Every structure is written in C-alpha cells, then in structure tokens.
Amino acid sequence: MKTTLKALSTAAVAALAMTAGAAQAEVKVGMITTLSGGGAGLGIDVRDGFMLAIKQSGRTDIEVVIEDDQRKPDVAVQLADKMVQSEKVDVMTGIIWSNLAMAVVPSVTAQGKFYLSPNAGPSALAGRGCHENYFNVAWQNDNLHEAAGAYANSAGYGKSFILAPNYPAGKDALTGYKRFFEGDLAGELYTKLGQTDYAAEIAQIRASGADSVFFFLPGGMGIAFLKQYADSGVDLPVVGPAFSFDQGILQAVGGAALGVVNTSQWNKDIDNATNAAFVDSFQAEYGRLPSLYASQGFDTANLLISAVEKADVSDADAFRAALKAAEFDSTRGDFAFGDNHHPIQNIYAREVIQEGDVFTNKILGVALENHSDAYAGDCKM
Amino acid sequence: MTFVLFAEQVLNGLQFGIMLFLMAAGLTLIFGVMGLINLAHGSLYMIGAFAAAAVAGATGSFLLALIAALAAAAAAGALVEIVVIRRLYDKDHLDQVLATFALILIFSEGTRWVFGSFPLFLNIPETLSGPVTLPGGIQYPLYRITLIVAGLLVAVGLGLLISRTRIGIQIRAGENDREMIAALGIDISRLYTLVFALGAALAGLAGALVGAIQSVQVGMGEPVLILAFVVIVIGGIGSIKGALIGSLLVGLTDTLGGVFLPQLFKLVMEPSAATNLGSSLASMAIYILMGAVLIWRPTGLFGARA
C-alpha cells in the first residue's frame, strides 16, 4: 500500500515536471549562416547537417531560427542583435567566416548567450579573447594547416613553396604551416583575396626550385588554382587543408585534384557507427555526399542536444558544464574540449580519389594526434 | 629573375588583358552608343560560363559549349535590353546603376535557383590541355595561348565590323549623335538591341573561355566587371581601340606588378615586410595607373572630348 502511494506520488511529480518542462524548457537556437552569394555552399552544408541531427533526435523542444548573413559582417551583426533582443534565443550558432564571427561572437557571449561555432575558429577567440560561453565544435583556424606542415615533414618534403590569400585567415594558414614544417621555404606568397588567375604564381613556383607546394585557397580560388596548376606542367606534390577539397567543390575541380593530399579532422570513412549512420542518412535526406562542413553542423547539433538532455538552458552554469563535458557521439569518434573550449582531436591526412563518377577523399593516416591549438595557453577562464 | 620567367609573366599579363578586353569591349560599346552604365555586364559573363558548363556537361563538346555561351549571353542581353534597359536610356546614370544593380541580384539568385550553390565543372578540352614549349625554352599552357589568339581574332573582327560594315557605321554614328541617326531613318531601337546583344555575347564568350580554367560559380562576374570599368576609363569611354590598349595595360600592370613589386622591395627591406608591402602596392597598381592616366588625359587614352 505504502509503495503504491509512493509510486503514485512520484508519477504525479514526474507528470508535473513534464508539463512544466514542456511549457518552459524549450530551447531556442539562432542560426546565422551564409545561404546566398559566393560562399553559400558551406552555410547550406552546415545548416543541413545541423537540421538532420535535430530531426533524428525527434525532439520538439528545440526551435531553430535560421537567417542568411550573405557573407556580410554588417548583416550578421544586425541579425545577431535581432535574434538576441527580439527573438530571445538561448544559443547561437552557424557562422562560417572568421571575420563575421569576430563581429558577432564577442557581443553575443557578452550578453550571456551561448555560441557554438560550427566552423570559424579565429585565433583571437581561442587565446586571450576566449569566453566561457563560446564553444568551437570544428577547429581552431590554424589546426588543419599545422597538420599539413606535419604531413609534409613525414612525407620528406624539405623545400616548400607556400601561398595563401592576403587576409587574416590566410596569414594564420601560413603561420600554422610554418609552425610545424621543419624544412626550408622556397617562397612565400600572399595572393589577392578572391583572385581567380594564378598563372603568375604558378610561374614563380616553377622557377623556385621547390619540392612541394602548400596552399590555402578556400572555395572558388582553390578550384581555379588546382585547374591551372594541373594544366601548367608543374608536377610538384601539393598539400593543403580540406577547405579546397571538400565534397562540394571536388566535383568542380574534377581530375585535377586526384591524388592531392589534404588535411581534415573528418572524413566519410572514419570508422565509427555514428559516422556511418550520418553519411548514409545525409545522403538519403539530401541526395548528396556530406562535406566536412555538414559533419561539423551535425556534431554541433548533437553537442547541443546532449547538453539540453542534461541541463536546463536557463541554468547557465549547469548548461555550460554539460556542453563542456561534450558527451555526445561525434562523427569524428573521440571528441573532447580543451580548457579554451576548442576541440582536442585527431587530424588526418586524406587523399583525393575517384569512386565511380564521384570525386571524394580517403584517409591515409593520422597527421596530428589529439591535437589542441597554439593559443590555449593564453586563455584564462 | 630569368628571362624565361619574365617572358612567361608577360604572356600571363597579355592573356589576362585579352580576356579583360572581351568584357570591356561590350561595356564600352554599350556606354558609347547608348550612354548606359551597365553593372549587369558581369552577370552576362556568368551566364556564358554557366551555359558553357551545362552544355559541356551534357554533350562533352567544348565547341558546342562555346556556341551555347555566345547564344545564351546574347539572348539574355537582348531580353534584358528589351524588357528593362530600354526604359532607362533617358534616365540619369543613378537610375541606370540602381536598375542594373538589381539585375545583378536577380541573375545571381536566379542562377543559384537553377544550378544550385555549388560551383560547376567546366574543363579545358583534351586537345588543348597541357603545356607546350615555346622558343627560348618557355613552358606555357597551350590553352592560354589559344585564349590569346582567340581574343586577338575577336579584337580584329570587332575592329573590322566597326570600321568596314554598315552596322559599324551605324554604331559609330550612334556614338556621335543619337538623334541625328534616328532622324536619318535608322531603326534606333533595333540597333540598340543589337549592340547590347553583341556586347553580351562577348562577355558570355569571355565567361566560357575563362570558366574553363577558373571556377564556374555564382558571383564570378563582379570582380571582372570592376576591372573592366577600370579598363574603359583608362582607354577612354566608347573607344574599342582604347578598350584594347587599356585591357593590355591593365593586364600587364596587374600581373607584372604582382610579381615584381615584392621582389623590388626585397632589395631594400627584409623579405616578409617586402612581401606585405609589395603585395599591397601591387593590388593598388592598376588604380594608380588609372589615376595617372586620368591626370594626364582626363578623358582616357582614346576618349572623345568630354
């Protein structure tokens, strides 16, 4: 009799808690990402990966508001203000580009909101400018370039020609490569941002006596460079970060990218159940192979869901601790945050291969194991 | 700096200039004949590239792709002229800029709607791929040589069209005095549509030719458009000859400046500072050139009196 009563009252309390939960524990997520203009492919992949994870979780208490920043910092700032002040979101995410992240993230976190970065990882937010409410689920910007430097050592390259666009992330890229590369430089070039013709640079590479080329040219710049490089008759090996070799642009580069080694924290053949299910379900849902950006969006959403399951977003300390614990199944396998809320993870060397008609990547090996970033020491939280 | 590297960079500059000419020629014709500032010219370049990529993807023939690029861009140009631009001739330049800017947005998002957000694949035809060795031991991609030759042929053809044909006479007359040639019984609106379509076709051709070595994506036309405006300001607005000379000047300045300025600064500074300063100056070089030309000749090199 007594036990029945106890059970009944527990059930009643639980029922009460559930109705209360349904009424107020709703989490509102603001996603600002690039859905139009030149870099839209990246934003669309992040969005699709994120929404796939939300859909698979079956949760109805997470509401996502999505807006397009058009890759413009001023638009992103406006949207962020709107989301924080009038939409009253609890968590923000979605920004692709570092310059937009720098314009939005500090003010969002200062207003007590959480920000989960699915892509941009500027060094300023990883070191002195780190914040307890800012979590980066992708990488610190330098990471993939550092891995490229490490790969170049292991491949025995002694004299690299390196180039990147003349803007902050380009400088971070070359710095990252040089931080790990032990050989000499045959040349170092900063190209114009948005440049599409690399004939002049390729001529310099040809004349430089280099034994390898490292380049960071995201998006269309990389497509142009690879096509022109393949046609130039210079046949030095090329390494680069995954940004010029993601699933979205490989088809546009075509055979010119075959065999090129690039570094990434994710690939579709990383062997774990989460990743296999992600690749299959993404293909089934959207009819294309996922890119690393899609995997980052997917992981970001799953991190969020893992925290929502453990803590109420209105209890900021508990929610933060739940995010920090990162107890979710990542498509990358093991995943943990360092003290500056940036990932500690393996970064792989991949090779571009052709599977039937589709160009894609295959993992060659680990370039950097359990890699953190160079700025973590400067972060005092 | 060896002779081979220098010669290769000069060829690169020439090739870049020739491609700019295809854009600038249409732009300058349209401005010269109709007095219209057409910001949407870059969109026509993009349409050419997308049409070429789509047709090359479907048929595998680069020649068909080029024909499709010409046809699609000319058709888009004619359509835009008839539907939108025609209403703008007697408006001032600000209205034209606003309307044609709107066209850029419409074309960009329309293209994304049809083709998606990811860049398309368009490659060099097999027969033109790979490098050839020129006299003097210069290795240079065959496709880029083809571009230079094709561009020069178009320049000659355009020159003959303007100086030797009836249409050319009408175009030149239109540049000089619009009312008068209308009064002489020339169907001015047909002439305008024709000139617009011709300019559009040239832009589309440039888009398709260049798309094969760059990336075919939404928004690819706007950076080229800015350079094309610099070209026609340097060459003199309305002058085809000016557009050709201006294109080559801009192409050579941009390419050679980007290569040699950093090296020049390395003689007097430490390398990383020299690279930084040199690259920054190199990106300004064409605008400095434009400024210098305008101080010397305010209407451009071959511009008519203002």
Side-chain angles (χ1 to χ4, degrees), chain A residues 95-349:
Chain A
I95 294 181
I96 301 295
W97 314 98
S98 291
N99 54 335
L100 274 68
M102 288 307 297
V104 167
V105 173
S107 92
V108 166
T109 51
Q111 294 177 74
K113 306 295 175 192
F114 287 93
Y115 186 89
L116 310 178
S117 176
N119 198 61
S123 51
L125 296 178
R128 281 204 186 84
C130 66
H131 192 282
E132 55 178 5
N133 284 352
Y134 171 75
F135 289 83
N136 187 308
V137 195
W139 21 254
Q140 196 281 315
N141 278 358
D142 300 10
N143 285 166
L144 302 195
H145 314 297
E146 292 169 341
Y151 171 80
N153 294 333
S154 69
Y157 302 150
K159 207 161 176 242
S160 281
F161 193 103
I162 62 178
L163 68 157
N166 196 0
Y167 79 123
K171 291 183 178 165
D172 285 355
L174 297 194
T175 313
Y177 185 78
K178 286 190 283 187
R179 191 176 290 137
F180 276 73
F181 180 58
E182 289 156 1
D184 299 323
L185 294 184
E188 181 176 356
L189 269 187
Y190 286 110
T191 60
K192 269 173 268 180
L193 189 61
Q195 182 173 328
T196 47
D197 199 309
Y198 293 93
E201 285 75 13
I202 291 167
Q204 282 169 282
I205 292 171
R206 194 200 305 270
S208 70
D211 67 0
S212 55
V213 178
F214 166 76
F215 77 98
F216 164 59
L217 296 165
M221 294 185 272
I223 301 176
F225 177 80
L226 281 168
K227 280 160 89 173
Q228 292 162 23
Y229 187 82
D231 191 46
S232 70
V234 182
D235 52 4
L236 304 172
V238 177
V239 274
F243 312 120
S244 302
F245 303 92
D246 75 71
Q247 209 56 50
I249 67 175
L250 272 181
Q251 316 319 316
V253 182
L258 270 185
V260 176
V261 174
N262 62 98
T263 50
S264 175
Q265 85 288 5
W266 175 86
N267 196 42
K268 72 177 171 63
D269 61 354
I270 292 180
D271 193 11
N272 65 59
T274 313
N275 196 35
F278 163 66
V279 174
D280 287 345
S281 56
F282 190 93
Q283 256 188 302
E285 182 82 20
Y286 303 108
R288 63 177 195 272
L289 280 172
S291 67
L292 81 158
Y293 308 109
S295 82
Q296 291 160 195
F298 189 78
D299 280 355
T300 306
N302 279 324
L303 169 71
L304 176 77
I305 293 163
S306 77
V308 171
E309 275 167 2
K310 280 201 279 186
D312 193 332
V313 72
S314 57
D315 181 358
D317 288 332
F319 194 75
R320 187 179 308 120
L323 284 171
K324 176 80 198 299
E327 280 166 3
F328 69 102
D329 293 324
S330 166
T331 54
R332 292 166 238 181
D334 295 337
F335 181 97
F337 281 120
D339 288 336
N340 61 344
H341 293 176
H342 281 62
I344 299 176
Q345 59 189 347
N346 287 346
I347 299 178
Y348 303 92

Side-chain angles (χ1 to χ4, degrees), chain B residues 148-162:
Chain B
I148 297 178
V149 174
L152 287 175
L153 286 179
V154 171
V156 171
L158 205 56
L160 289 178
L161 177 82
I162 300 237

Side-chain angles (χ1 to χ4, degrees), chain B residues 11-72:
Chain B
L11 282 174
N12 287 334
L14 274 179
Q15 182 259 313
F16 182 40
I18 290 281
M19 284 303 108
L20 272 181
F21 168 71
L22 292 184
M23 277 293 277
L27 207 55
T28 206
L29 265 183
I30 290 168
F31 190 87
V33 177
M34 306 167 213
L36 177 95
I37 296 181
N38 179 24
L39 291 187
H41 208 64
S43 300
L44 299 165
Y45 175 87
M46 176 183 74
I47 287 173
F50 272 88
V55 170
T59 65
S61 159
F62 192 70
L63 198 66
L64 281 181
L66 283 186
I67 293 168
L70 280 168

Side-chain angles (χ1 to χ4, degrees), chain A residues 36-37 40-41 44-45 171 188 192 196-197 199-200 203-204 206-207 220 223-224 227-228 231-233 248 251-254, chain B residues 5 8-9 12 15 112 117-122 124 129-131 139 141 144 211-215 217 254 259 276 283:
Chain A
S36 64
I44 288 169
D45 270 3
K171 291 183 178 165
E188 181 176 356
K192 269 173 268 180
T196 47
D197 199 309
Q204 282 169 282
R206 194 200 305 270
I223 301 176
K227 280 160 89 173
Q228 292 162 23
D231 191 46
S232 70
Q251 316 319 316
V253 182
Chain B
L5 182 55
E8 190 174 343
Q9 300 296 19
N12 287 334
Q15 182 259 313
R112 184 195 320 288
S117 305
F118 296 98
L120 291 194
F121 177 73
L122 175 64
I124 303 168
S129 67
Q139 279 221 321
R144 287 184 188 266
I213 50 172
Q214 297 182 358
S215 77
Q217 60 182 10
D254 194 58
V259 177
N276 261 331
S283 19

